[in-house]
Structure formats: structure tokens, C-alpha cells
Amino acid sequence: MIDFLKQNITKHISLSDKELTDFCSLFQSKIIKKKSFLLREGEICKFEGIVIKGLFRVYHIDNNGFEQVLYFAMENWWITDMDSFTNEKPSHLYIEALEDSEVLLISKQDKEFAYTNISKIEKLFRVMTQKTHIALQRRMIDNLSKTADQRYAEFIEKYPQLYQRLTNLQIAAYLGISHEFLSKIRKKIYTKK
Amino acid sequence: MIDFLKQNITKHISLSDKELTDFCSLFQSKIIKKKSFLLREGEICKFEGIVIKGLFRVYHIDNNGFEQVLYFAMENWWITDMDSFTNEKPSHLYIEALEDSEVLLISKQDKEFAYTNISKIEKLFRVMTQKTHIALQRRMIDNLSKTADQRYAEFIEKYPQLYQRLTNLQIAAYLGISHEFLSKIRKKIYTKK
DNA sequence: TTCATTTATTGAACTTGTTCAATGTTTTTG
DNA sequence: CAAAAACATTGAACAAGTTCAATAAATGAA
């Protein structure tokens, strides 16, 4: 389980065995049942974590009661509300387990400890944040320039494993369209080809 | 000019005088005339920089020839194509000066030097990248949940200084709508109130 | 200052996506 | 296993946003 975390970290940067072990010892395991929440709107996000098993959706509910999915996180993905966590202010997001899940979490305090006492940890999160930012920039441009049809096709192509584990409702909330319209897109795809 | 950079940095983290001076000495000034480019699609982005004077638009041209603005950058904003710069691969973006401008730039090599030799620089960019990521997450949710009317109103409210220096064409490309539709939104606002 | 170019406005026809309501299908849960 | 709940599909009417074309206004360069 900790090995899982170690493997993930060494994908981003290289650390000595001691650094790696010291850092990983700061994480604690948590089991989350399907349909329960790691975070709800209004709470201050006190953790950052990595998914060991299962699947989460990170979403926002707007004034009209509609849900927008900011991202999904399955095995090997990191989860937090970066805004709430870093600025210690109430979150606008919900983080919900879509399957029975397990995560490894680190508290704000322990992360600060790691920043000051394990020299490479700044680099680790600098690099990881850059990667997620680059991915979000791409998604932003796609959302500005592409039709829902294209975005759906590309979502399936890019995340085939995710696609199988999600309902159309959830995918629609990620693409920013109604689930009825997604249903019509699917019909077009499967009858035309 | 370097003081400008120093001030900007100390807004994010605190550094010793020596660290600050060492780091800032790695930057070089560059003057960019209105309508000329800091970066074009296909080039590898070899710099990261801060705007001292003037205004830039960072945009992408899609397959249909339409421009999407990823962001604008005026005085005190940082500019780069993070994807191209960090991964050293051809950019999909254009960075164009919208006014006669001046920037301070650091090369990839010098930035790497700073990461390894000036201990606080990792933190600086970790913190800065977090902030831009948080801002982009907010924009992503706004784009998914709000109408063009709302997004335009909020853009004006949030960036009044920017609004005055941009054409409606450029604002439309940022909001992800046609400039004709933006014109109709503006009419509605100014006749109704 | 003038001519050319870019920017902004407007209307009409069109496309994309929403909303609502009805119906069928699948999944959960007692 | 049965009933309830959640999910998916479909159609019709509607709203949001685009496209194209024409015209006016503002800006820039000689």
C-alpha cells in the first residue's frame, strides 16, 4: 500500500530511500464506502491524498443545483481541493467515492513538515502541480473550441478505463452538457457506425 | 525594473536579499513591439517571464481557424507555455504583444540552475503554480456552469483594467463566444439598465 | 488628413444544446 | 426475489449561441 505511493512518487522525481520512507510515513490510510464523502462544500479541506483503490468524483454544485465535475480520480490519482487546502478556507467542492475506496492521506501540518524537513518534497509538488496544470490548460482549450460530440469521443479515447466505471450522468457533468443530450450523442455514434 | 521583479516575488514567498538578487540576476530584459510575437505555434518555448510593461494575449488557433485565449498577461503577470517549456516540445500556442511591451525573461537553463542552487526557488514556483492552477480551476467551473452573459459581467468586474485595454474580439475569444454574440450581450446590458 | 484596415453592430436563418415529461431499463437494497 | 431507486432513452418545444452578410464606426499608417 505504501509501496503503491512510493511507486507513484518516483514516477515524478527521484528520491533517496530515506527521503521516500520518511515522507510516506506521514500518510494514513482511510477506507471510504461508496456514496460517502471525503469532503463537502463548506468544510475546510484538511488533507491531500492519493487513491489506492476505487474511484472518486470531485464536483461543484452551482446556484441552479447542477453538478459540474472538476475531475475524476481513480487508482494512482491525487485528490484534494487545492484552493481550500492551501488557503484554509471553506471549500466549494464535494469529493465523493463512486466505489468502495481506499486512500492514503497527509494532513496540512505533516505536509508543511515535509516541505521544511525533506528537501525534495518542494520539487515533488512543484512538478506534480505543473503536470495537473498543463492537463487543465488542455481541457480548458478543448472546452472552448470543441463540440460536445468531439469532447465525448476524446474522453472515451483518453480514459477508456474511467469510461467503463462511470455512468453517463457523471460523464455529462464532466463534459458540461445535460445527460439527455449525451444520450442523443451516443445514439448518433452507435447508429451511424 | 529588477525591483519590479523583486516586489512580485516577495508577494509570493520571503527570500533573503542575496537569494533575491542572485535569482533576479538570471533575468534579461526584452522589448516587444505591439503585434509581434514572443512565441508561435511549433516553436519550443525557451523562456519564462514576467511582464514589466504592456499587455499580451496567450492563445491557440483550432482546426477551424478560430482563436481561443488561454489568458491575458499585463504588468506583474507571468507568461510562458508551461507545457512546451517544461517538456521541451513544440508549442500549440501563440504569445502576442497587444501593446508595446517589456518583459524580463529567464531561460530554461538558468531556471534549472536556480532550482538546484537557490534553495527557495522550488517553493516560489510551487506556490505560483498552485495559485495559477486554483484560478484556472475556478474559470473551468465558471465555463461549465455559467452563461456567456454572466461570464462577461464577471470578467468586467474582475479585470476592469484589462477590460479597458482589450477589444471585444479579444474578450470574446477569452469567453469562448463569437464576437457578434458578445455585441448582442453588450446591447442587452446597456439598453436594459 | 485621408484612405485602408480593423473593430463593432445588427438582423435573419441556422445549429447546438436545454428543458420537461413520459417510458423503459438497470441496479440496489430490504 | 420484489419493490424502490437510480439511470438511460426519446420526442417536442424552447433557449443559447453561431454564421453570414451588410453597414457603421474607430483606428492606424502614409
Side-chain angles (χ1 to χ4, degrees):
Chain A
M1 211 174 70
I2 291 289
D3 286 347
F4 192 94
L5 175 59
K6 286 185 179 177
Q7 268 201 344
N8 181 282
I9 291 169
T10 51
K11 260 190 266 178
H12 298 294
I13 64 164
S14 57
L15 286 179
S16 73
D17 275 3
K18 180 173 183 339
E19 286 172 320
L20 201 52
T21 304
D22 284 355
F23 180 56
C24 291
S25 76
L26 300 172
F27 285 76
Q28 302 208 334
S29 167
K30 189 167 183 180
I31 305 284
I32 315 282
K33 278 248 174 80
K34 181 172 176 171
K35 290 193 184 177
S36 54
F37 290 81
L38 255 181
L39 181 73
R40 289 169 197 267
E41 179 166 23
E43 296 173 2
I44 292 173
C45 180
K46 298 197 179 300
F47 63 87
E48 176 151 358
I50 183 170
V51 181
I52 300 299
K53 177 178 155 289
L55 175 59
F56 292 84
R57 66 201 260 254
V58 180
Y59 66 98
H60 170 253
I61 301 185
D62 71 21
N63 297 332
N64 304 316
F66 291 98
E67 298 175 1
Q68 286 88 38
V69 171
L70 194 54
Y71 59 95
F72 298 106
M74 56 177 202
E75 290 81 2
N76 251 312
W77 287 65
W78 289 75
I79 37 174
T80 189
D81 175 353
M82 192 185 285
D83 192 3
S84 174
F85 182 76
T86 66
N87 299 315
E88 296 182 278
K89 61 184 206 186
S91 176
H92 300 289
L93 302 178
Y94 294 83
I95 303 182
E96 183 198 7
L98 296 176
E99 303 174 358
D100 288 344
S101 302
E102 179 176 4
V103 289
L104 287 177
L105 301 180
I106 185 171
S107 69
K108 173 111 181 161
Q109 204 179 340
D110 287 345
K111 201 180 168 200
E112 293 296 339
F113 173 86
Y115 280 144
T116 49
N117 295 291
I118 309 173
S119 65
K120 284 274 188 72
I121 299 305
E122 283 284 359
K123 187 183 210 80
L124 173 64
F125 285 97
R126 197 259 300 163
V127 167
M128 286 191 353
T129 307
Q130 277 184 355
K131 287 182 185 175
T132 57
H133 188 65
I134 289 167
L136 190 58
Q137 282 192 338
R138 292 211 190 105
R139 184 174 166 210
M140 189 76 221
I141 285 184
D142 284 352
N143 267 277
L144 289 174
S145 65
K146 294 178 179 167
T147 64
D149 303 48
Q150 288 175 294
R151 270 145 53 212
Y152 179 63
E154 286 169 19
F155 180 82
I156 292 176
E157 195 180 357
K158 196 167 177 187
Y159 306 109
Q161 353 69 315
L162 213 45
Y163 158 72
Q164 292 167 23
R165 293 160 76 176
L166 294 170
T167 66
N168 291 336
L169 255 123
Q170 286 148 3
I171 296 174
Y174 178 88
L175 298 176
I177 58 176
S178 68
H179 70 280
E180 294 96 333
F181 190 56
L182 178 54
S183 193
K184 283 158 198 174
I185 289 172
R186 287 163 52 79
K187 191 185 181 185
K188 232 192 312 180
I189 293 174
Y190 295 123
T191 55
K192 276 201 177 167
K193 294 189 176 172
Chain B
M1 211 174 72
I2 291 289
D3 286 347
F4 193 94
L5 175 59
K6 286 184 178 175
Q7 269 201 343
N8 181 281
I9 291 169
T10 50
K11 260 190 268 177
H12 300 291
I13 64 164
S14 56
L15 287 178
S16 72
D17 275 3
K18 182 174 181 340
E19 287 172 320
L20 202 51
T21 304
D22 285 355
F23 180 57
C24 291
S25 75
L26 300 173
F27 285 75
Q28 302 209 333
S29 167
K30 189 166 183 180
I31 304 283
I32 315 282
K33 278 248 175 81
K34 181 173 177 171
K35 290 193 182 175
S36 54
F37 289 82
L38 255 181
L39 181 73
R40 289 168 197 268
E41 178 166 23
E43 295 172 3
I44 293 173
C45 180
K46 299 197 179 300
F47 62 88
E48 176 151 359
I50 183 170
V51 181
I52 300 300
K53 179 178 154 289
L55 175 60
F56 292 84
R57 65 200 260 253
V58 180
Y59 66 98
H60 170 252
I61 301 184
D62 71 21
N63 297 332
N64 303 316
F66 290 98
E67 298 175 1
Q68 285 89 39
V69 172
L70 194 54
Y71 59 96
F72 298 106
M74 57 177 201
E75 291 81 2
N76 251 310
W77 287 66
W78 290 76
I79 38 174
T80 188
D81 175 354
M82 193 185 285
D83 192 4
S84 174
F85 182 76
T86 65
N87 299 315
E88 294 183 279
K89 60 185 207 185
S91 177
H92 300 289
L93 302 177
Y94 294 83
I95 303 182
E96 183 198 8
L98 296 177
E99 303 173 358
D100 290 343
S101 302
E102 179 176 5
V103 289
L104 287 176
L105 301 180
I106 185 171
S107 69
K108 173 112 182 161
Q109 204 178 342
D110 287 345
K111 202 181 167 199
E112 293 295 341
F113 173 86
Y115 279 144
T116 48
N117 295 291
I118 308 173
S119 66
K120 283 274 189 72
I121 299 305
E122 282 285 0
K123 187 183 209 80
L124 173 64
F125 284 97
R126 197 258 301 162
V127 167
M128 285 190 355
T129 308
Q130 277 184 355
K131 287 182 185 174
T132 57
H133 188 66
I134 289 166
L136 190 59
Q137 282 192 338
R138 292 212 190 106
R139 185 174 165 210
M140 189 77 220
I141 285 184
D142 284 352
N143 267 278
L144 290 174
S145 64
K146 294 179 177 166
T147 64
D149 303 48
Q150 288 175 294
R151 270 145 51 212
Y152 179 63
E154 287 169 17
F155 179 82
I156 292 176
E157 195 179 357
K158 196 167 177 186
Y159 307 108
Q161 353 67 317
L162 213 45
Y163 158 72
Q164 292 168 22
R165 293 159 77 177
L166 294 170
T167 65
N168 291 336
L169 255 122
Q170 286 149 4
I171 295 173
Y174 178 88
L175 298 176
I177 58 176
S178 68
H179 71 280
E180 294 97 331
F181 189 57
L182 177 54
S183 192
K184 284 158 198 173
I185 289 172
R186 286 162 53 78
K187 191 185 180 186
K188 233 192 311 180
I189 293 173
Y190 295 122
T191 55
K192 276 199 177 169
K193 295 188 175 175

